[in-house]
């Protein structure tokens, strides 16, 4: 009798649990689909190598909705601007290097918010999030530096990292240091130049397409507006005075994600959930460009 009572309780309970599991998405394993969310790095201080040291292709435990890896076979280099340790190495980063059309300092410390959150910390955090998202899609991702270098690398070495990797695309991540009141993001695109060591004629067009995809996607996912104080007012700016762009031989752009000196932009840049959305914007912009490139 006790056995019959127990079964009478367990059977409907288990059936109800099965229904809950089904409605929560358990059936996705049997061929259903669930929304693809932007993954976060499980280990922000991972030992993955940089582009300068021939880093290994990423693993990653995700896929697109169809169960594939749409960016498999594509190589992306992410360049986190500056370095948190640059401030301790003034002599090294102040020495001049060739930018193709002239000479500039090796690197700088970058800017920071009024509360002291540095551009270098921001770009490194965002780069790791972007790396995770791109690996989800099967891309091989390399960073120019992953926070373990004592300083740098120099701007010419950053450009060479993308060239050496024969990257399909390179994005250098930054945040601006304009006066407060100037807000928004912009993507810097290489000007078509042929001077000294600089020759961007072959990559200026593809870089412009990359920049446009990135600007549109970044705006969509972050809700940020294009900066009105830089470039064309639509989120892109073309320049021929940056060594990281002048010396590239592969499609490359700079992304200035916002103005760290403006309180409202700084509130976004220091917010983890906003950085998740920013990373998703970068990933989707790169995916759009790379898919078209295939």
């Amino acid at each position: 009798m006790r056995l019959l009572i127990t079964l009478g309780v367990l059977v409907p309970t288990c059936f109800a649990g099965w229904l809950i599991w089904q409605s929560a998405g358990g059936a996705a394993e049997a061929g259903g689909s669930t929304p693809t969310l932007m993954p976060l790095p499980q280990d922000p201080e991972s030992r993955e190598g940089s582009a300068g040291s021939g880093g290994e292709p990423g693993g990653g435990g995700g896929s697109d909705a169809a169960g594939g890896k749409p960016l498999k076979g594509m190589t992306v280099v992410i360049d986190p601007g500056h370095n948190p340790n640059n401030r301790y190495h003034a002599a090294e980063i102040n020495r001049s290097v060739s930018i193709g059309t002239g000479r500039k300092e090796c690197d700088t410390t970058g800017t920071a918010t009024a509360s002291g959150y540095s551009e270098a910390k921001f770009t490194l955090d965002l780069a790791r999030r972007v790396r995770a998202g791109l690996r989800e899609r099967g891309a091989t991702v390399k960073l120019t530096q992953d926070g373990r270098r004592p300083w740098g690398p120099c701007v010419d070495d950053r450009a060479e990292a993308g060239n050496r990797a024969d990257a399909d695309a390179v994005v250098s991540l930054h945040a601006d240091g304009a006066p407060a009141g100037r807000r928004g993001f912009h993507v810097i695109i290489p000007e078509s130049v042929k001077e000294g060591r600089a020759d961007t004629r072959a990559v200026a067009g593809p870089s412009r397409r990359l920049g446009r995809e990135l600007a549109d996607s970044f705006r969509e996912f972050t809700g940020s507006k294009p900066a009105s104080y830089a470039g064309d007012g639509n989120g892109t700016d073309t320049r021929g005075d940056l060594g990281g762009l002048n010396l590239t031989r592969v499609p490359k752009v700079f992304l200035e994600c916002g103005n760290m000196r403006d309180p409202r932009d700084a509130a976004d840049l220091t917010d983890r959930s906003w950085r998740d959305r920013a990373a998703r914007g970068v990933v989707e912009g790169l995916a759009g460009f790379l898919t078209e490139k295939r």
Side-chain angles (χ1 to χ4, degrees):
M1 177 62 71
R2 288 182 180 177
L3 177 60
L4 290 176
I5 293 173
T6 301
L7 289 175
V9 172
L10 285 178
V11 169
T13 301
C14 292
F15 180 69
W18 179 82
L19 288 176
I20 293 171
W21 176 81
Q22 287 284 338
S23 64
E29 285 187 310
S33 62
T34 57
T36 301
L37 300 179
M38 181 66 201
L40 294 178
Q42 295 300 306
D43 179 11
E45 299 295 336
S46 64
R47 294 179 174 272
E48 196 269 344
S50 68
S53 60
E56 293 298 322
S63 63
D64 64 2
K69 298 283 187 179
L71 299 183
K72 185 175 178 60
M74 310 297 275
T75 298
V76 179
V77 171
I78 302 298
D79 176 29
H82 312 288
N83 184 319
N85 297 316
N86 276 357
R87 58 181 176 158
Y88 304 117
H89 295 272
E92 290 88 348
I93 68 170
N94 286 336
R95 67 183 180 85
S96 70
V97 298
S98 171
I99 64 167
T101 57
R103 300 187 71 83
K104 277 191 174 181
E105 62 266 38
C106 158
D107 202 2
T108 68
T109 57
T111 188
T113 66
S115 64
Y117 182 59
S118 72
E119 179 185 2
K121 287 184 178 179
F122 166 77
T123 61
L124 193 54
D125 178 83
L126 183 59
R128 290 167 176 161
R129 294 168 192 261
V130 171
R131 177 172 63 187
L134 290 170
R135 285 179 167 180
E136 282 283 317
R137 291 155 174 79
T140 295
V141 187
K142 302 183 180 184
L143 304 188
T144 58
Q145 58 96 9
D146 198 8
R148 295 188 299 277
R149 290 179 58 102
W151 54 272
C154 295
V155 294
D156 56 341
D157 289 334
R158 290 174 185 269
E160 185 55 33
N163 298 340
R164 186 166 50 246
D166 192 24
D168 295 287
V170 183
V171 175
S172 187
L173 299 173
H174 289 267
D176 212 355
R182 297 182 175 183
R183 300 190 62 199
F185 75 92
H186 62 282
V187 181
I188 305 175
I189 298 167
E191 185 178 297
S192 181
V193 296
K194 175 65 174 74
E195 181 181 344
R197 291 176 54 203
D199 186 356
T200 60
R201 294 173 296 175
V203 297
S207 295
R208 178 164 294 280
R209 292 194 295 274
L210 169 60
R212 190 71 267 156
E213 288 277 359
L214 193 58
D216 290 346
S217 181
F218 194 81
R219 183 176 188 174
E220 176 185 355
F221 282 93
T222 64
S224 299
K225 294 182 178 180
S228 60
Y229 66 89
D232 60 6
N234 293 315
T236 58
D237 186 17
T238 302
R239 292 175 58 176
D241 63 332
L242 298 174
L245 296 181
N246 284 355
L247 299 175
T248 189
R249 298 290 185 270
V250 295
K252 181 177 180 180
V253 297
F254 279 34
L255 172 61
E256 297 280 359
C257 297
N259 180 13
M260 299 200 99
R261 305 306 298 170
D262 178 83
R264 288 184 292 177
D265 271 9
D268 285 338
L269 297 165
T270 55
D271 181 73
R272 292 179 61 88
S273 63
W274 186 91
R275 293 199 298 272
D276 277 341
R277 298 195 301 275
R280 181 67 179 271
V282 175
V283 170
E284 297 295 344
L286 278 162
F289 170 77
L290 295 171
T291 300
E292 182 182 320
K293 183 179 178 181
R294 280 194 182 275

